[in-house]
Amino acid sequence: DVEEIAATPGLTYGLNIVLTSLRIKRDSNIVVTDINFPTSVYTAHAMKRSGLISEVRIARLYDKHEDIEDHIEKLIDDKTSIVLIDHVSWITGYKIDLRRISEKAREKGSYLIVDGFHAAGVLPINVRDLNVDIYLTGTYKWLMSLHGGGFIYVRKDLLKELEIRYSGWFGVRDSPINR
């Protein structure tokens, strides 16, 4: 559905729009992985430093667990507001089982936000089949476009929950352009 897609000047820009628009509790946590692209991890830590969340939990690929999905699932609890993971790791190429993680995230009332930068253009992506809440990507790399482009998918039923705090003059209904 066209309402679920937004164009952005890049994945990082889109991620910051999403993270500043979600209504999350200050005593909540964000789960990331040690194979995430650094931007999402840095952003999660910045949210903690700013008092927007209380904890950043890091699932580790090689940490006495059968697989990273086990570790991610163990870190998600009733205080988890966001699970922020890469679909495909930038450093290892590991592909995370998003459907599996989405089940646990939904069970606990957490948003599943996915950085799809290293999957888009390589893997077939059906966000509905993957059952993700928010999926972001940039246009260069495997989409073979220029720097400065990106996309955000937000599941339609979540749109009403967003409180957009980062917008421009075309982002409001009462725009002088429309008068």
Side-chain angles (χ1 to χ4, degrees), residues 6-19 37-41 43 84-88 113-120 134-141 146-152:
T8 67
L11 186 143
T12 300
Y13 188 97
L15 180 62
N16 284 304
I17 290 171
V18 165
L19 292 176
F37 191 75
T39 298
S40 60
V41 179
T43 304
L84 177 55
I85 56 179
D86 290 4
H87 190 171
V88 173
I113 302 175
V114 179
D115 175 339
F117 201 95
H118 294 90
I134 298 166
Y135 196 98
L136 305 109
T137 191
T139 56
Y140 77 99
K141 293 268 182 161
L146 302 173
H147 283 268
F151 298 98
I152 307 171

Side-chain angles (χ1 to χ4, degrees), residues 49 52 63 111 149 172:
R49 281 192 310 275
L52 298 173
D63 191 24
Y111 296 108
V172 294

Side-chain angles (χ1 to χ4, degrees), residues 11-71:
L11 186 143
T12 300
Y13 188 97
L15 180 62
N16 284 304
I17 290 171
V18 165
L19 292 176
T20 59
S21 299
L22 293 171
R23 297 177 191 146
I24 57 174
K25 295 180 181 174
R26 291 186 182 275
D27 66 340
S28 68
N29 66 70
I30 293 179
V31 174
V32 297
T33 75
D34 65 350
I35 58 172
N36 274 25
F37 191 75
T39 298
S40 60
V41 179
Y42 297 157
T43 304
H45 283 292
M47 291 175 72
K48 181 178 183 245
R49 281 192 310 275
S50 298
L52 298 173
I53 59 167
S54 64
E55 183 182 8
V56 177
R57 297 178 177 176
I58 302 174
R60 304 200 181 276
L61 183 59
Y62 303 108
D63 191 24
K64 299 179 187 171
H65 298 278
E66 245 180 84
D67 55 39
I68 198 164
E69 288 88 355
D70 285 340
H71 198 188

Side-chain angles (χ1 to χ4, degrees), residues 85-88 95-106 112-116 119-120 123-136 153 155:
I85 56 179
D86 290 4
H87 190 171
V88 173
K95 180 182 162 201
I96 292 187
D97 183 347
L98 296 178
R99 285 194 62 71
R100 178 175 163 189
I101 300 305
S102 73
E103 290 173 20
K104 181 70 172 189
R106 291 268 168 87
L112 176 57
I113 302 175
V114 179
D115 175 339
L123 301 174
I125 298 168
N126 183 322
V127 288
R128 286 183 180 79
D129 287 346
L130 295 172
N131 203 28
V132 300
D133 296 312
I134 298 166
Y135 196 98
L136 305 109
Y153 157 81
R155 204 177 72 234

Side-chain angles (χ1 to χ4, degrees), residues 155-172:
R155 204 177 72 234
K156 192 171 191 171
D157 62 312
L158 293 181
L159 291 172
K160 64 186 175 297
E161 295 180 28
L162 299 178
E163 184 179 321
I164 305 299
R165 296 180 179 102
Y166 191 59
S167 182
W169 63 307
F170 285 115
V172 294

